[in-house]
Amino acid sequence: MAGLAVNIDHIATLREARKVNYPDPVAAAVLAELAGADGIVCHLREDRRHVQDRDVRLLRKVVQSKLILEMAATSEMMGIALDVRPELVTLVPESREEVTTEGGLDLIVHNKSIGETIGALQNNGIPVSIFIDPEPEQIKLAHQHGADMIEIHTGIFCEATSATKRKQAFAKIVDAAKLAKKLKLGVNAGHGLCYTTIKSFNGLSEIDEYSIGHSIISRAALVGMDRAVREMHDLIKAL
Ligand code: PXP
């Protein structure tokens, strides 16, 4: 059965909208775990627009399932990751202009340094996933660079504006998951997934874990964190 890693960035987004000390993403992580989350994800951005250093350090102490740190492959983030020692680092592209992560890390562009980053983390006992688009070339490069896992970017599928585009985008995800498994990579998937789009993954047993944030936190604002996480967890269990 696939797992659910809950991304709590948007609890921090709400807090940072007022620059106050609530709601606390650490409290959200505890509630998510109590509701069955298999992991907690946070993205420490270079501009600290939502998650703060304090959150990552407290999450490290509090999270009992596993802590997944999303980060850009910069020397600053490397230092933090080596200090905090999350159970998994997911390397993501980052640009200050974007509202949210807009696509996978392009391993054709970042070909040179990424292997060194992966090696440095792994040598310190931290497994590494790379967030990439569902393209065969990207998956082969992730494998060549020695990544432990990939996270397939599902955003294009989730945002598709027609049935045809959605079908094409999903076919790419299926092919990507199968290729990654053939190469013995772990396979996570995420970005843009909601309580409707998740149902399309029925029967796709290659996915190990779904990384979901915005839809869960949005629902949590209305029905509570416990129910929002449980409902998503139930949908994933039924896949
Ligand atoms: N995976 C990655 C790599 C992400 O950057 C994000 C967004 O922070 C997610 C998953 C979760 O996306 P969403 O918030 O749309 O569920």
Side-chain angles (χ1 to χ4, degrees), residues 212-231:
I212 309 180
H214 189 263
S215 62
I216 293 177
I217 302 304
S218 302
R219 186 168 289 211
L222 302 181
V223 304
M225 194 71 186
D226 186 81
R227 185 167 148 195
V229 173
R230 279 182 204 280
E231 285 179 3

Side-chain angles (χ1 to χ4, degrees), residues 111 115 118 137-147 183 185:
N111 209 350
I118 293 170
E137 204 53 38
Q138 299 290 342
I139 291 150
K140 286 180 201 156
L141 282 168
H143 177 247
Q144 277 169 28
H145 286 308
L183 295 172
L185 289 163

Side-chain angles (χ1 to χ4, degrees), residues 7 9-10 70 92 100-101 131 151 190-193 211-214:
N7 180 314
D9 290 355
H10 292 297
E70 285 180 11
V92 299
T100 179
T101 313
F131 182 58
E151 182 180 329
H191 208 279
L193 292 170
S211 176
I212 309 180
H214 189 263

Side-chain angles (χ1 to χ4, degrees), residues 179-232:
L179 173 59
K181 272 284 134 131
K182 220 167 118 190
L183 295 172
K184 308 228 178 315
L185 289 163
V187 185
N188 293 343
H191 208 279
L193 292 170
C194 70
Y195 295 80
T196 306
T197 48
I198 193 70
K199 293 177 189 160
S200 303
F201 290 75
N202 190 13
L204 187 55
S205 59
E206 282 80 5
I207 309 281
D208 296 308
E209 193 160 80
Y210 295 92
S211 176
I212 309 180
H214 189 263
S215 62
I216 293 177
I217 302 304
S218 302
R219 186 168 289 211
L222 302 181
V223 304
M225 194 71 186
D226 186 81
R227 185 167 148 195
V229 173
R230 279 182 204 280
E231 285 179 3
M232 186 60 85

Side-chain angles (χ1 to χ4, degrees), residues 38-180:
D38 303 290
I40 300 296
V41 190
C42 68
H43 182 179
L44 186 66
R45 281 181 167 268
E46 190 193 6
D47 63 10
R48 308 297 199 269
R49 70 172 67 158
H50 41 49
V51 171
Q52 306 296 311
D53 298 61
R54 162 266 184 211
D55 302 330
V56 179
R57 291 185 190 279
L58 280 177
L59 284 167
R60 171 64 297 170
K61 289 194 175 136
V62 166
V63 167
Q64 296 188 16
S65 52
K66 64 178 180 244
L67 178 63
I68 301 164
L69 178 63
E70 285 180 11
M71 59 175 228
T74 64
S75 54
E76 185 203 12
M77 290 302 154
M78 282 296 285
I80 293 170
L82 294 178
D83 196 28
V84 169
R85 309 188 67 79
E87 273 74 29
L88 180 71
V89 159
T90 301
L91 295 174
V92 299
E94 211 172 280
S95 99
R96 280 185 181 242
E97 293 76 34
E98 68 194 0
V99 173
T100 179
T101 313
E102 281 171 356
L105 193 62
D106 187 345
L107 295 179
I108 297 165
V109 175
H110 294 92
N111 209 350
K112 227 170 153 232
S113 57
I114 209 77
E116 286 164 27
T117 304
I118 293 170
L121 289 162
Q122 289 173 336
N123 288 340
N124 283 278
I126 304 170
V128 183
S129 174
I130 315 186
F131 182 58
I132 49 175
D133 289 338
E135 299 291 342
E137 204 53 38
Q138 299 290 342
I139 291 150
K140 286 180 201 156
L141 282 168
H143 177 247
Q144 277 169 28
H145 286 308
D148 299 280
M149 335 191 46
I150 57 160
E151 182 180 329
I152 299 174
H153 177 222
T154 53
I156 296 160
F157 159 69
C158 293
E159 287 155 25
T161 48
S162 70
T164 312
K165 283 185 187 160
R166 201 168 305 123
K167 208 170 150 197
Q168 283 168 353
F170 195 72
K172 283 190 152 197
I173 293 173
V174 172
D175 290 349
K178 289 188 188 300
L179 173 59

